[in-house]
Amino acid sequence: MTYSYTQISQYLNCPRRYRHRYLDGWQEKDTRAAMVFGRAFERALGAYFLREDSAAALFREWAVYQDQQLRYSNGDSWNRMLQQGIQLLDRFCQDDRIRIRQPRHNLQIKFTRRVSEKNDFVAYIDAFGKLDGTRCLIEWKTTSSRYPEEPDGLLALDPQLVCYSWMTGIAEVTQVVFVRKRLVEVQYLRTTITDEQRQEFGQLVEDTIGRIESARFLPHSGIRFPQNPCSTCPYVALCLGRQDVVETALVRRPGAVNLGWLDELAY
Ligand code: SF4
């Protein structure tokens, strides 16, 4: 069995959600514009480092979805997102703070780690490079609002960055956040992950896989209404037994248990 960060985090968010997704094969339809745009933007970044025309690459990737029924939020539209994307690429290029040598080898790098006799763990790291001259592991994010920078050191608690640091053994990590707002902004957030955090993450993975393999899938969404994550969970119709709504939001792919690593390629 091959596990991934997304699988572990889905289980920790709500074990029932894990069962819906990975055992029963229910998957959210790929219709969220922000997610699809994120993937197109990441390919445009790849083009930028390969010294190709990144704006043209973004247009080409995003044009595939121009006439599709995507779900736009916060007043977004296909055109508005394209313009914001081009402005963000411009800003990123002007900042010139990230360097990636040999981009064909140092972008979207696959790492596999044996976690037990029968299980592997897989991760795809967005990039290895330098921020302002310091070598680090890099993750790209596109979002419609700024990431918080206070209190100081908050980024070191990000579980996905801890996971990537655990997978690679690299302590210096950077998140480059492309903020799509009226005046676009690129945030460069850097932190250091400690040995202790990496060790603890390894234990968390081991413990979570143990619970998954013991078939413990009781629902626990964690927080009470109105912050209850059930209200935004793609599987809420399944948990409420609303079969009529299920078909509009989800598709079923039997055998999903072996395809969990594919989630790592979704943005
Ligand atoms: S709707 Fe709530 S209980 Fe059901 S899978 Fe989602 S988070 Fe868990």
Side-chain angles (χ1 to χ4, degrees):
M1 178 77 187
T2 301
Y3 288 93
S4 67
Y5 171 76
T6 313
Q7 274 169 277
I8 298 295
S9 94
Q10 292 251 354
Y11 184 88
L12 293 172
N13 281 337
C14 175
R16 182 60 52 90
R17 189 170 165 147
Y18 180 97
R19 194 182 84 183
H20 289 319
R21 169 70 184 88
Y22 295 104
L23 271 70
D24 300 339
W26 290 106
Q27 199 178 346
E28 196 175 4
K29 287 181 183 166
D30 249 7
T31 53
R32 284 167 294 161
M35 191 187 76
V36 176
F37 180 81
R39 271 190 238 147
F41 190 81
E42 195 171 316
R43 292 201 190 103
L45 280 176
Y48 166 78
F49 287 110
L50 290 166
R51 299 182 184 279
E52 295 167 4
D53 183 340
S54 56
L58 178 63
F59 180 80
R60 190 175 58 242
E61 295 289 338
W62 187 225
V64 175
Y65 302 96
Q66 189 166 13
D67 299 320
Q68 291 194 16
Q69 291 284 315
L70 295 181
R71 281 183 285 142
Y72 292 92
S73 49
N74 303 325
D76 277 339
S77 66
W78 186 90
N79 248 319
R80 185 164 180 242
M81 291 172 91
L82 175 67
Q83 293 313 321
Q84 289 170 329
I86 291 172
Q87 287 167 14
L88 281 164
L89 288 167
D90 261 357
R91 175 67 50 85
F92 182 65
C93 171
Q94 281 164 20
D95 291 346
D96 195 23
R97 294 179 61 184
I98 299 281
R99 293 286 161 86
I100 295 181
R101 288 186 60 204
Q102 298 186 302
R104 285 186 201 283
H105 293 110
N106 287 321
L107 289 169
Q108 272 291 309
I109 316 126
K110 182 181 179 182
F111 276 83
T112 309
R113 181 176 174 144
R114 185 125 277 224
V115 285
S116 71
E117 222 173 87
K118 302 178 288 176
N119 299 317
D120 288 331
F121 196 98
V122 73
Y124 286 84
I125 310 297
D126 285 342
F128 282 128
K130 286 185 179 173
L131 167 64
D132 301 331
T134 303
R135 263 197 81 69
C136 56
L137 174 167
I138 300 166
E139 191 195 16
W140 319 119
K141 288 283 180 202
T142 51
T143 168
S144 56
S145 51
R146 291 186 98 245
Y147 275 22
E149 295 182 50
E150 299 287 336
D152 201 22
L154 189 63
L155 189 67
L157 301 179
D158 181 86
Q160 193 161 9
L161 290 177
V162 175
C163 170
Y164 291 164
S165 177
W166 169 71
M167 283 298 280
T168 59
I170 295 174
E172 298 300 319
V173 296
T174 293
Q175 211 167 43
V176 182
V177 186
F178 296 91
V179 192
R180 295 187 299 101
K181 49 181 190 166
R182 206 169 54 79
L183 288 175
V184 298
E185 181 183 356
V186 184
Q187 292 177 277
Y188 299 86
L189 310 175
R190 183 162 69 195
T191 193
T192 306
I193 307 296
T194 64
D195 278 345
E196 189 187 357
Q197 284 178 288
R198 280 189 288 277
Q199 269 173 24
E200 281 178 349
F201 191 83
Q203 287 162 10
L204 180 67
V205 167
E206 214 175 286
D207 179 69
T208 309
I209 291 176
R211 286 194 268 159
I212 291 169
E213 292 185 342
S214 309
R216 285 185 236 158
F217 299 115
L218 290 173
H220 64 73
S221 53
I223 309 165
R224 288 192 64 195
F225 188 83
Q227 274 87 28
N228 190 327
C230 296
S231 56
T232 52
C233 177
Y235 303 107
V236 67
L238 283 171
C239 286
L240 294 176
R242 292 281 313 274
Q243 210 54 38
D244 51 326
V245 187
V246 165
E247 316 272 304
T248 60
L250 302 171
V251 283
R252 192 163 193 196
R253 303 211 168 110
V257 74
N258 293 320
L259 299 175
W261 59 274
L262 281 174
D263 286 342
E264 298 310 291
L265 295 173
Y267 199 74

